[in-house]
Amino acid sequence: MLQVLLIAFSVVAVAHAELCKPDAQNAFKVRLSIKTALGDNAYAWDANEEYLFKAMVAFAMRRYSSKNTTQISNVLLCNVTDRVSFWFVVTDSTKNVTTVPGSEVEAAIRMNRNRINSAFLLNDKTLQFLKISSTLSPPVEPSIPVWLIVFGVVLCVTVAGIVFLLVSGIQRRKKKNKESSETENLEEKCEVTVTIENGIPCETLDLKAGHINGVCAADDERFTSL
Amino acid sequence: MEKTRPLWDNPLQFVFACISYAVGLGNVWRFPYLCQMYGGGGFLIPYVIMLFVEGMPLLYLELAVGQHMRRGSIGAWRAISPYLCGVGVASVVVSSFLSIYYNVINAWAFWYLFHSFQDPLPWASCPLNGNRTGYEAECEKTSPTQYFWYRRTLNIAPSLEASGGLQWEQALCLTLAWLVVYLCILRGTESTGKVVYLTASLPYCVLIIYLIRGLTLHGAVNGLVYMFTPKLEQLANPKAWISAATQIFFSLGLGFGSLIAFASYNEPSNNCERHAIIVSLINSTTSIFASIVTFSIYGFKATFNYESCVSKVILLLTNAFDLEEGSVTADNLGETKAHLLATHPHQYAELLPQLKNCSLEAELDTAVQGTGLAFIVYSEAIKNMEVSQLYSVLYFVMLLTLGIGSMLGNTAAILTPLTDSKFIATRLSKEVISGIVCVINCIIGLTFTMEAGNYWFDIFNDYAATLSLLLIVLVETIAVCYIYGIRRFEKDLHAMIGHKPSWYWKIMWAFASPLLIISLFIFYITDYILTGTLQYQAWDATQGQLVTKDYPSYALAVIGLLVAASTMCIPMGALITFISRRLKRKNICMVA
């Protein structure tokens, strides 16, 4: 009995070894960078972590295909290195010694990537499934681009400044025009008042009339010319 | 009643206006490049010599001419000799070309400034591609900052011929830039005088903040050491001396007519000699100061890139050989590589093409100038700093104040002759003239917002002002010294500032500066002739890098037109004056 069990066990082990090896069909390579992600809080990769990994992959397969047939024992890990990288396959429990097609595994992992990442406190960059490309999250785009808002603010301030300067310039010029026309009017009035003083128009008076005495001027004429 | 000429409120406004005009983007993005190319600390020797032989005397000359004649460039040179009105016209033409393309830089600075209010900065990482499985193809090949500049900002065409359509975002920013310039020049010296307080002092505040931040960055010392170790053998290279002379010449903004325009608003008794010395010294000191900041930023960026490169190599080795995480560090990288080569030679040989040789020297050696430095290198360094939004905003505000300060000078050079001319000034007010000039320049400037616009920008940047300015300043110096007469000029200066210029100034004006300009001129002409076909750098989106292409024939025609439009004004002006005088004399003879 024991011998039969041993033989069966070794057959299964060999079969498993054939299913899970680097570059096997439907096998995926996983790479973890725990120290890069967690620094001092990094945990060591041991058998328990491997068990968790198998559990997460089984969980992903169950959620994806909605049939509760995938067991933890269906997930095979091999070639674990110091890097912390290894290969895994998912075997089909219904069919003997076959692996679940890679496309299904890929879709399942993709669907549950977030859950798997958070189980290990890692992200898409530090927990890499080498053949499965991750959908990168797009950046948050506001409805109106930020730059347009700032542009609008600066534009309004500038236009307001220009309008203010133009309007105050026009007002100042109007005031200056009014002032200069007022001074012109004042000068005209002065001329009018001056000319009416004493009833004698200034233009008719000789300017020299105040300086030269008409009587004295006549004295010059009394002397005969030499 | 004759309108009195508007004046600066106080001499400080005039000094600030000159500083704000002279200290421009060239101090930040051209001088550090020249320093790096021509011998680091040793470049300062030809630079300082050229400052004293060429920079100060020519600056003093222009300020004195403007202050004495109290007119813009056209009127001032006509007063010196009627045959020289062409010199003034040439200055105005060159200034128009400059103001058309220079404001596009302000538009780009606005664009980056508005995008600095996002977290994270848009040039910090590549955008995702269509099906969100990776990053955009073009961005993967280059870096996010280059992608943001070439694709998001310029949306550059693959060559000059494929002109493409107008970029509405850039057109909006350009319109805003012109509105801001209009706001500052609207009232003439009244508004310009107040604005220059800000545009002259703000760049220094930001440079000081950046100096402190830059010096405390990790790896900044590498850049500073690299820059300041003098490589004195470069002094034997004539290109070093020519570049020093050219840099001093263009950095001070001689020949555009802006300095004449600014000085014409001075009191006649203003001491322009002292101001010329102050402005030129401040301009050169700012260049050196800005290059200290730039090199500490270079050092930081180079160290960061070098360390990323080393980390990438370590990751590659760790993944390929499934080594334990953290076992390979930067220190034992060399030994690890040797060990792996010995133990797994076949696998190592396969991996070898991907293993880059990371070198700090190679990173530091990438000398960049111009828009590449300002918008790519600096933004790359900024995105790696903490609180990057704040530093980004500060930096682009500084670029804006530098650019707008220079624009004030450029527009003054165009507007002063226009407002001086009685024909125009009696019909239109100052505000309307400024508005018309701004609108025309803005509309022509929209060509630079097309997809191929950056290539036209490079054409204008390289050819619109270089040869013409040399010729203009040469004619100016010869005119003042030999046509107007240096003794007459001496007497005018004595009347203005109270003492005659010393023998140093006279020798520089009469002999040293003209000889220097003639030799620069000869050098440039021979350089153009020897290079043969002119080429430009085009961005290849498929490769993610710049490639060299030849200019098409119509671009060469435009280059020729640019140079001819300004240089031909000088002989044409003399010819027209000569002909009109002959006709007048004939008329008088006929009348008599």
Side-chain angles (χ1 to χ4, degrees):
Chain A
M1 183 61 187
L2 207 61
Q3 278 172 335
V4 173
L5 272 172
L6 265 170
I7 292 169
F9 187 69
S10 52
V11 166
V12 167
V14 167
H16 279 189
E18 277 184 14
L19 285 174
C20 176
K21 39 176 210 230
D23 295 318
Q25 201 190 33
N26 301 329
F28 292 91
K29 183 165 182 184
V30 182
R31 191 187 289 145
L32 289 91
S33 312
I34 308 173
K35 283 202 193 124
T36 319
L38 301 171
D40 287 332
N41 299 330
Y43 48 81
W45 186 261
D46 53 15
N48 297 331
E49 306 287 341
E50 284 181 24
Y51 191 81
L52 178 59
F53 183 80
K54 289 185 198 173
M56 291 307 297
V57 174
F59 161 76
M61 293 302 300
R62 284 187 166 208
R63 255 187 111 211
Y64 175 70
S65 53
S66 332
K67 48 181 189 215
N68 302 342
T69 50
T70 321
Q71 305 292 330
I72 290 183
S73 51
N74 287 120
V75 184
L76 306 172
L77 262 65
C78 50
N79 282 66
V80 184
T81 63
D82 283 334
R83 172 72 180 81
V84 195
S85 68
F86 49 84
W87 290 81
F88 78 95
V89 272
V90 183
T91 54
D92 201 338
S93 48
T94 50
K95 302 191 200 124
N96 236 347
V97 201
T98 46
T99 51
V100 175
S103 50
E104 263 187 61
V105 179
E106 184 173 334
I109 303 271
R110 263 238 179 93
M111 196 176 101
N112 298 289
R113 191 65 188 266
N114 250 354
R115 300 291 295 271
I116 302 177
N117 284 350
S118 18
F120 290 96
L121 307 174
L122 299 172
N123 59 32
D124 276 1
K125 282 217 179 75
T126 39
L127 171 55
Q128 293 169 298
F129 289 84
L130 286 185
K131 270 186 285 184
I132 303 176
S133 50
S134 49
T135 1
L136 302 161
S137 56
V140 177
E141 291 246 0
S143 51
I144 306 174
V146 176
W147 78 270
L148 266 179
I149 299 174
V150 188
F151 169 78
V153 168
V154 176
L155 183 70
C156 289
V157 168
T158 313
V159 171
I162 291 176
V163 166
F164 170 72
L165 282 180
L166 280 175
V167 165
S168 62
I170 295 175
Q171 278 182 348
R172 209 199 312 172
R173 208 168 296 139
K174 251 192 241 166
K175 220 194 312 176
K176 223 195 301 180
N177 280 343
K178 223 193 321 172
E179 274 178 14
S180 63
S181 62
E182 275 179 8
T183 47
E184 275 178 27
N185 288 339
L186 246 120
E187 282 173 10
E188 284 178 10
K189 273 202 222 132
C190 281
E191 285 180 14
V192 168
T193 48
V194 163
T195 48
I196 307 179
E197 254 185 13
N198 289 341
I200 310 168
C202 293
E203 296 122 314
T204 54
L205 284 175
D206 192 5
L207 279 168
K208 285 210 188 110
H211 300 279
I212 304 173
N213 197 339
V215 175
C216 300
D219 279 342
D220 284 336
E221 289 171 28
R222 279 198 284 132
F223 298 114
T224 50
S225 51
L226 289 165
Chain B
M1 205 169 73
E2 207 193 288
K3 248 196 281 183
T4 50
R5 193 173 182 77
L7 296 173
W8 300 110
D9 288 341
N10 53 55
L12 194 64
Q13 278 190 356
F14 167 65
V15 176
F16 270 32
C18 289
I19 291 176
S20 155
Y21 168 67
V23 173
L25 294 163
N27 299 63
V28 172
W29 75 29
R30 178 117 174 110
F31 182 78
Y33 167 78
L34 290 176
C35 227
Q36 190 175 1
M37 293 288 283
Y38 296 115
F43 183 71
L44 291 175
I45 298 177
Y47 189 69
V48 170
I49 293 177
M50 291 300 166
L51 172 67
F52 284 106
V53 169
E54 183 198 5
M56 272 192 218
L58 290 174
L59 181 64
Y60 185 15
L61 187 89
E62 286 220 359
L63 291 183
V65 167
Q67 191 172 304
H68 179 68
M69 304 300 170
R70 312 200 74 214
R71 321 222 23 89
S73 54
I74 299 183
W77 294 109
R78 198 185 299 147
I80 295 232
S81 156
Y83 293 101
L84 288 177
C85 62
V87 176
V89 176
S91 292
V92 172
V93 169
V94 174
S95 285
S96 332
F97 289 152
L98 189 78
S99 56
I100 290 174
Y101 82 80
Y102 202 83
N103 222 10
V104 180
I105 305 175
N106 288 334
W108 293 330
F110 268 123
W111 170 262
Y112 269 81
L113 176 67
F114 298 151
H115 278 87
S116 308
F117 289 96
Q118 288 172 343
D119 178 38
L121 291 170
W123 54 84
S125 57
C126 279
L128 303 175
N129 63 12
N131 52 5
R132 292 208 264 133
T133 49
Y135 299 115
E136 282 248 356
E138 190 180 348
C139 194
E140 287 267 283
K141 296 210 178 71
T142 79
S143 61
T145 40
Q146 286 193 304
Y147 175 77
F148 187 77
W149 170 244
Y150 285 111
R151 191 51 50 210
R152 284 283 126 96
T153 310
L154 299 175
N155 197 15
I156 204 161
S159 72
L160 194 83
E161 291 90 337
S163 49
L166 207 71
Q167 309 299 308
W168 65 268
E169 299 100 339
Q170 296 306 311
L172 277 182
C173 289
L174 183 66
T175 321
L176 178 65
W178 274 110
L179 281 174
V180 171
V181 168
Y182 182 56
L183 176 66
C184 299
I185 61 173
L186 184 50
R187 283 271 185 86
T189 46
E190 199 188 312
S191 52
T192 311
K194 309 270 185 320
V195 171
V196 293
Y197 284 130
L198 181 73
T199 56
S201 47
L202 189 66
Y204 288 101
C205 298
V206 177
L207 276 174
I208 291 175
I209 295 176
Y210 260 88
L211 183 72
I212 300 173
R213 174 77 265 228
L215 289 176
T216 52
L217 283 171
H218 165 65
V221 184
N222 296 336
L224 285 173
V225 163
Y226 182 78
M227 173 194 164
F228 281 114
T229 29
K231 302 177 194 68
L232 287 170
E233 63 274 8
Q234 281 286 344
L235 286 182
N237 182 2
K239 276 206 150 193
W241 294 84
I242 289 170
S243 302
T246 316
Q247 174 62 13
I248 290 274
F249 189 86
F250 291 122
S251 171
L252 285 172
L254 303 163
F256 286 101
S258 317
L259 293 164
I260 297 182
F262 280 155
S264 69
Y265 298 119
N266 267 340
E267 302 269 349
S269 55
N270 185 43
N271 189 350
C272 52
E273 178 175 335
R274 186 150 36 109
H275 290 157
I277 297 176
I278 293 175
V279 169
S280 48
L281 280 178
I282 289 183
N283 183 47
S284 298
T285 326
T286 312
S287 291
I288 300 174
F289 182 42
S291 57
I292 296 179
V293 175
T294 306
F295 273 93
S296 44
I297 302 273
Y298 262 164
F300 165 69
K301 170 179 127 36
T303 312
F304 188 87
N305 284 349
Y306 168 71
E307 285 173 0
S308 316
C309 177
V310 169
S311 317
K312 278 208 193 94
V313 170
I314 289 177
L315 191 66
L316 203 60
L317 285 174
T318 321
N319 286 347
F321 294 99
D322 284 321
L323 306 165
E324 195 186 325
E325 251 186 301
S327 58
V328 188
T329 61
D331 300 321
N332 62 14
L333 185 60
E335 300 154 16
T336 320
K337 274 194 193 166
H339 173 75
L340 288 170
L341 180 63
T343 47
H344 303 87
H346 192 68
Q347 234 178 327
Y348 190 82
E350 272 178 26
L351 203 56
L352 204 55
Q354 294 176 45
L355 286 176
K356 272 193 271 186
N357 255 335
C358 300
S359 150
L360 189 59
E361 259 74 52
E363 294 283 341
L364 284 170
D365 247 336
T366 51
V368 194
Q369 60 160 334
T371 49
L373 171 58
F375 294 106
I376 299 178
V377 171
Y378 258 93
S379 47
E380 198 173 315
I382 288 173
K383 80 172 200 246
N384 296 323
M385 296 183 191
E386 292 115 43
V387 204
S388 42
Q389 282 80 15
L390 172 67
Y391 287 110
S392 182
V393 167
L394 273 177
Y395 173 67
F396 290 110
V397 166
M398 177 185 83
L399 279 192
L400 267 174
T401 41
L402 285 173
I404 290 185
S406 303
M407 278 304 292
L408 295 178
N410 292 334
T411 44
I414 306 172
L415 288 173
T416 311
L418 288 178
T419 47
D420 282 345
S421 103
K422 294 195 188 60
F423 176 75
I424 299 176
T426 43
R427 285 173 177 70
L428 299 166
S429 70
K430 200 173 15 173
E431 288 90 343
V432 173
I433 300 175
S434 321
I436 293 176
V437 168
C438 287
V439 166
I440 293 177
N441 283 344
C442 184
I443 292 177
I444 301 179
L446 286 176
T447 26
F448 299 115
T449 58
M450 293 195 303
E451 284 182 24
N454 196 41
Y455 301 128
W456 291 106
F457 175 85
D458 283 332
I459 287 182
F460 270 72
N461 196 20
D462 292 335
Y463 302 107
T466 35
L467 268 181
S468 336
L469 277 182
L470 287 170
L471 188 65
I472 291 173
V473 175
L474 181 66
V475 174
E476 285 184 4
T477 329
I478 294 178
V480 168
C481 291
Y482 300 107
I483 301 180
Y484 191 71
I486 201 148
R487 299 211 182 280
R488 214 167 132 197
F489 192 58
E490 252 187 315
K491 282 206 199 85
D492 291 336
L493 280 171
H494 184 71
M496 276 201 296
I497 59 179
H499 63 266
K500 286 203 174 162
S502 68
W503 57 267
Y504 161 73
W505 297 111
K506 286 188 274 191
I507 293 180
M508 293 300 142
W509 288 331
F511 303 112
S513 305
L515 280 172
L516 198 62
I517 299 175
I518 291 175
S519 48
L520 279 181
F521 200 69
I522 295 175
F523 166 75
Y524 273 108
I525 302 240
T526 45
D527 198 48
Y528 284 149
I529 296 173
L530 285 175
T531 352
T533 48
L534 297 169
Q535 295 177 315
Y536 68 106
Q537 303 280 83
W539 177 254
D540 188 345
T542 50
Q543 288 181 46
Q545 58 180 31
L546 292 165
V547 293
T548 320
K549 290 200 171 149
D550 286 332
Y551 277 125
S553 47
Y554 59 85
L556 291 173
V558 168
I559 295 176
L561 261 174
L562 278 177
V563 177
S566 40
T567 43
M568 287 301 124
C569 286
I570 304 178
M572 292 283 287
L575 195 67
I576 291 175
T577 320
F578 179 67
I579 292 176
S580 62
R581 276 197 160 181
R582 281 283 286 276
L583 287 173
K584 232 187 271 176
R585 220 174 292 155
K586 254 197 221 159
N587 284 342
I588 294 172
C589 289
M590 279 169 35
V591 166

